């Protein structure tokens, strides 16, 4: 009912010095063009399937097979970057029934090779991150090395000379 009222009611503001029939006709044409463009945009957005991060319901509703894996919360960003890079559609779901909660990532890709490449890159990044030494450990080690260095001997003898 509200849509019918909105479609029948039109507010048209025209700024002109002399109101003539020609001005009214051009204003109505501009309004009709605007309405047509809005309708085209709505149709375009309705046809577009979601890509990238989405809900599980949207992912399953696309009609293709969906797979899932467990992932740690600490590295969700890393997975999202790789998934976007390879064009994988994914949805992240938190499973609160377990303590600590685990995160399930549901995903699908148009090409199995893209999915394989994405997971290879993600696993390589995760392995490299684990192999890197801790910055705090390195800092502690360097602090110890600096503390072990002998201090400089500062000679603070002042000599005054008389020049005449």
């Amino acid at each position: 009912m509200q849509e019918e009222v909105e479609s029948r009611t039109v507010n048209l503001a025209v700024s002109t010095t002399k109101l003539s029939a020609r001005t009214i006709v051009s204003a109505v044409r501009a309004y009709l063009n605007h309405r047509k463009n809005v309708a085209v945009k709505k149709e375009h957005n309705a046809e577009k399937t979601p890509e990238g991060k989405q809900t599980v319901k949207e992912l399953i509703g696309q009609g293709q097979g969906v797979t899932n894996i467990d992932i740690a919360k600490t590295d969700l960003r890393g997975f999202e970057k790789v998934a976007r890079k390879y064009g994988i559609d994914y949805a992240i779901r938190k499973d609160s029934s377990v303590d600590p909660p685990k995160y399930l990532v549901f995903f699908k890709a148009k090409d199995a090779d893209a999915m394989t490449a994405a997971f290879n890159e993600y696993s390589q990044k995760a392995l490299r991150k684990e192999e890197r030494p801790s910055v705090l450990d390195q800092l502690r080690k360097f602090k110890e090395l600096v503390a072990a260095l002998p201090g400089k001997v500062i000679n603070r003898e002042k000599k005054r000379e008389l020049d005449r």
Side-chain angles (χ1 to χ4, degrees):
M1 184 70 179
Q2 180 69 22
E3 291 177 4
E4 291 177 20
V5 172
E6 287 177 356
S7 66
R8 292 180 188 166
T9 306
V10 175
N11 287 335
L12 187 61
V14 179
S15 192
T16 182
T17 56
K18 183 177 179 184
L19 187 62
S20 65
R22 186 177 294 163
T23 323
I24 293 173
V25 169
S26 66
V28 170
R29 280 190 186 142
Y31 173 73
L32 292 175
N33 282 336
H34 170 71
R35 294 289 298 170
K36 186 168 51 169
N37 289 339
V38 168
V40 168
K41 285 181 182 178
K42 284 184 181 178
E43 287 177 13
H44 179 69
N45 289 340
E47 294 173 0
K48 190 176 179 183
T49 58
E51 294 178 356
K53 187 174 182 179
Q54 51 196 284
T55 64
V56 177
K57 191 173 186 178
E58 289 174 338
L59 194 65
I60 292 172
Q62 292 179 6
Q64 296 178 345
V66 176
T67 326
N68 72 335
I69 59 167
D70 293 341
I71 196 166
K73 180 181 174 33
T74 57
D75 204 21
L76 285 176
R77 280 281 180 226
F79 176 76
E80 287 178 354
K81 284 181 182 178
V82 174
R84 270 188 260 117
K85 178 180 175 182
Y86 284 95
I88 295 176
D89 298 335
Y90 62 96
I92 299 173
R93 187 70 171 219
K94 182 179 179 180
D95 185 13
S96 300
S97 63
V98 185
D99 189 43
K102 64 180 179 179
Y103 291 81
L104 297 172
V105 178
F106 296 89
F107 57 91
K108 72 173 184 63
K110 297 175 183 95
D111 189 12
D113 293 335
M115 198 178 311
T116 306
F119 282 109
N120 284 342
E121 183 175 331
Y122 173 68
S123 61
Q124 289 296 324
K125 278 187 176 183
L127 287 174
R128 271 189 265 130
K129 191 177 277 189
E130 288 176 5
E131 290 174 357
R132 275 190 281 170
S134 170
V135 175
L136 291 175
D137 290 338
Q138 287 181 344
L139 185 62
R140 286 186 199 107
K141 186 172 70 175
F142 286 128
K143 275 185 178 179
E144 291 172 4
L145 287 174
V146 169
L149 288 176
K152 287 185 176 178
V153 178
I154 300 174
N155 192 1
R156 294 189 183 240
E157 294 178 18
K158 293 185 178 180
K159 295 182 180 177
R160 292 189 178 196
E161 295 179 12
L162 293 176
D163 291 329
R164 285 190 193 205

